[in-house]
Amino acid sequence: MIPFDFTYIRPQSSEEAVTAYRQAKEAGNAALYLSGGTEIVTMARDRKLTFDVLIDLKRLPECRGIDRDQGEIRFGSAVSLNDAQKYGNVPLLSMAAGAVADHSVRNSITVGGNIAGRLPYREAVLPFLLFDGTVEIAGPDGNRNVGVMEIFDKRLKLSAGEFLVALRVPESASESTGYYRRRQKDSRVDYPIMTLCMARHEDGIRAATSGVFGFPVRSRRAEKALSASGTPAERSRNAVEAFDGKVQSNMRGAADYRRALLLQAMEDGLRQLEG
Amino acid sequence: MKEYDGLVRIELTLNGEKRTAHVSPADTLLRALRENLGMTGTKLGCENGDCGACTLLVDGKPVKSCYTLAVDVDDKTITTIEGLVNTDVQQAFIEEYGFQCGYCTPGVILNAYALLEETFEPNPEETRTWMESNLCRCTGYEGIEKSVKRAAELKKRAER
């Protein structure tokens, strides 16, 4: 159990959720939005995270379901990773969502929770970065829709009181089989040391990665290098160097190893996408 | 808007029966089941969402109860190992020696049960994907794999 007391709130609308957050803050209480809860509960149990109020977003109708809507595919932020994986019409999301944690845990982890949570990998965001997706956000100043590339920089840059309602990709994302590779240190059930999603787009090759730099990233400079002329090996080398960020080195994998994995994956990705 | 503060009453359907429990928002479902509702078949392992000993079914889906808040399952349907009696899965685990010490077994069986409810004849990759959610220190997993396969056969035979 969690070794401190808190209030758990189950709002029935985004407005109620935002109001509950505001009221908690006005009372001087620390409030958090809860989605799947796998991170929050396990961290709270070890007192790595504390709060006075938890506001559960899972049952909000606007945060649930997967729908086709006006040329886009909309994923409610409370859609579980297993449901996102099973949906199948965005193959890269199926692959990325289906690799996180294990199958039972994926019944609890939500797309929104994975992206907005504290763990740095946030692999579910990769296809949304790749396909220029958008996010629907609710907050004290009302609702807004923002491009994922605009609001995601290592993590989702939400203002106080805001939460993720849904994510969208264009329907064209369903036509892209793309390229996906993930590598872990030991077993399949592990954090990634390298995850790469690539897709062929009308403007060239796109690529987004997690695990290598310590955060998910899509780099237009790297994509320019991938889409330039040259052999796959040359373009991949230039692309890896073009990413902003330092390749991380820790117990899971040294920087040289991660760089080599990314390089090889990009090269193989180019060969697959270009035939 | 519903607010749960202090000791609260939750209602759930537990192994087919309507039950109530008084829990705190800080109680995990694992603790509430074992300490408030007498369901000690669900085991406490890592309490970190890794080992799967605490696996049970929430609305038919396998979930690890160590990171699930008890208040979160207010009005949900829960199945613990006590709710499975004489199923094909349990028979298969006996036939194929799918357990040794038995500590991981409730979680393994519930996960396997859910797999076979969802997928009629899971292929090896599907079985592996589901069952890698549960760690076993005793069997080396071969017995578990054979048991799941045998359970699928028994289920198929029963449904003919």
Side-chain angles (χ1 to χ4, degrees):
Chain A
M1 61 179 280
I2 293 173
F4 55 87
D5 292 326
F6 59 90
T7 301
Y8 167 92
I9 293 177
R10 194 183 286 172
Q12 293 187 307
S13 68
S14 296
E15 292 74 24
E16 281 190 357
V18 171
T19 299
Y21 189 96
R22 180 178 50 75
Q23 287 174 344
K25 286 298 185 187
E26 284 169 357
N29 290 325
L32 278 185
Y33 291 116
L34 174 75
S35 194
T38 57
E39 284 182 32
I40 287 180
V41 175
T42 51
M43 287 186 175
R45 204 177 56 77
D46 287 341
R47 284 191 185 269
K48 288 175 187 163
L49 188 62
T50 57
F51 39 84
D52 302 299
V53 177
L54 263 190
I55 303 162
D56 192 347
L57 306 174
K58 278 195 296 299
R59 300 185 194 207
L60 293 181
E62 54 269 49
C63 292
R64 294 164 69 88
I66 304 172
D67 306 288
R68 285 186 184 256
D69 176 41
Q70 296 171 8
E72 293 180 310
I73 305 174
R74 181 185 186 276
F75 294 84
S77 63
V79 167
S80 75
L81 288 188
N82 268 346
D83 285 344
Q85 185 266 327
K86 268 187 252 176
Y87 176 70
N89 284 339
V90 182
L92 279 175
L93 179 60
S94 292
M95 288 185 269
V100 175
D102 64 48
H103 182 269
S104 295
V105 178
R106 290 197 293 276
N107 278 329
S108 299
I109 301 177
T110 61
V111 175
N114 179 254
I115 292 171
R118 276 160 172 72
L119 287 171
Y121 307 100
R122 304 182 178 116
E123 292 171 87
V125 81
L126 296 175
F128 294 100
L129 284 170
L130 210 63
F131 296 115
D132 287 325
T134 56
V135 291
E136 296 174 25
I137 294 168
D141 297 328
N143 295 357
R144 58 186 179 121
N145 292 345
V146 190
V148 175
M149 285 291 283
E150 200 182 319
I151 198 171
F152 191 94
D153 177 14
K154 297 179 186 163
R155 59 178 183 84
L156 208 56
K157 303 279 190 190
L158 296 173
S159 302
E162 287 188 324
F163 65 88
L164 190 55
V165 175
L167 301 102
R168 292 170 177 261
V169 284
E171 276 189 323
S172 55
S174 63
E175 291 148 27
S176 169
T177 46
Y179 173 82
Y180 173 86
R181 181 176 286 176
R182 188 184 201 258
R183 290 291 181 260
Q184 305 80 223
K185 180 175 179 289
D186 295 315
S187 70
R188 286 195 328 187
V189 180
D190 199 357
Y191 298 122
I193 45 176
M194 191 282 304
T195 304
L196 175 67
C197 288
M198 291 172 72
R200 196 164 183 176
H201 196 264
E202 55 195 19
D203 60 10
I205 300 288
R206 293 185 174 186
T209 183
S210 182
V212 177
F213 299 99
F215 46 82
V217 61
R218 178 187 157 201
S219 163
R220 292 201 163 98
R221 274 180 41 203
E223 289 173 351
K224 202 172 166 189
L226 287 171
S227 307
S229 57
T231 64
E234 287 164 353
R235 288 184 278 152
S236 302
R237 254 193 321 270
N238 293 335
V240 170
E241 295 311 314
F243 272 99
D244 283 324
K246 192 178 162 195
V247 178
Q248 64 172 349
S249 198
N250 56 31
M251 259 175 38
R252 290 181 181 281
D256 285 348
Y257 183 52
R258 289 175 201 257
R259 194 178 288 110
L261 286 176
L262 182 60
L263 194 57
Q264 187 63 59
M266 279 190 166
E267 216 178 298
D268 293 344
L270 283 172
R271 290 202 177 90
Q272 182 178 302
L273 292 172
E274 292 173 344
Chain B
M1 186 162 83
K2 216 168 169 185
E3 193 170 305
Y4 300 72
D5 197 10
L7 211 56
V8 295
R9 184 169 175 267
I10 61 169
E11 293 181 354
L12 50 145
T13 303
L14 178 59
N15 298 328
E17 268 187 64
K18 290 275 183 209
R19 296 282 302 268
T20 60
H22 288 87
V23 299
S24 144
D27 289 336
T28 58
L29 177 57
L30 172 63
R31 295 281 185 165
L33 281 167
R34 289 180 59 84
E35 295 165 18
N36 295 30
L37 288 160
M39 294 290 147
T40 54
T42 307
K43 300 304 181 194
L44 197 150
C46 68
E47 280 200 293
N48 200 50
D50 298 318
C51 73
C54 66
T55 303
L56 41 72
L57 306 185
V58 177
D59 292 342
K61 291 189 180 177
V63 158
K64 294 181 181 181
S65 56
C66 66
Y67 58 61
T68 305
L69 295 176
V71 289
D72 203 349
V73 301
D74 189 10
D75 74 27
K76 292 212 180 246
T77 298
I78 309 294
T79 308
T80 65
I81 192 64
E82 289 90 346
L84 296 190
V85 180
N86 294 330
T87 62
D88 293 327
V89 177
Q90 288 157 303
Q91 181 60 33
F93 270 74
I94 293 168
E95 288 179 18
E96 296 297 333
Y97 305 101
F99 57 93
Q100 290 182 28
C101 81
Y103 198 79
C104 73
T105 309
V108 168
I109 285 184
L110 280 157
N111 196 16
Y113 178 83
L115 165 62
L116 295 172
E117 287 291 296
E118 180 162 313
T119 310
F120 189 57
E121 274 186 280
N123 60 44
E125 179 55 29
E126 281 168 319
T127 301
R128 186 186 169 196
T129 297
W130 280 64
M131 301 313 297
E132 67 191 356
S133 308
N134 298 83
L135 299 180
C136 173
R137 298 291 285 153
C138 298
T139 65
Y141 302 104
E142 192 178 329
I144 291 172
E145 205 180 322
K146 285 182 178 172
S147 300
V148 176
K149 195 173 172 190
R150 179 66 182 145
E153 288 166 8
L154 290 173
K155 200 163 188 270
K156 189 176 171 183
R157 200 183 293 174
E159 286 174 14
R160 275 209 194 110

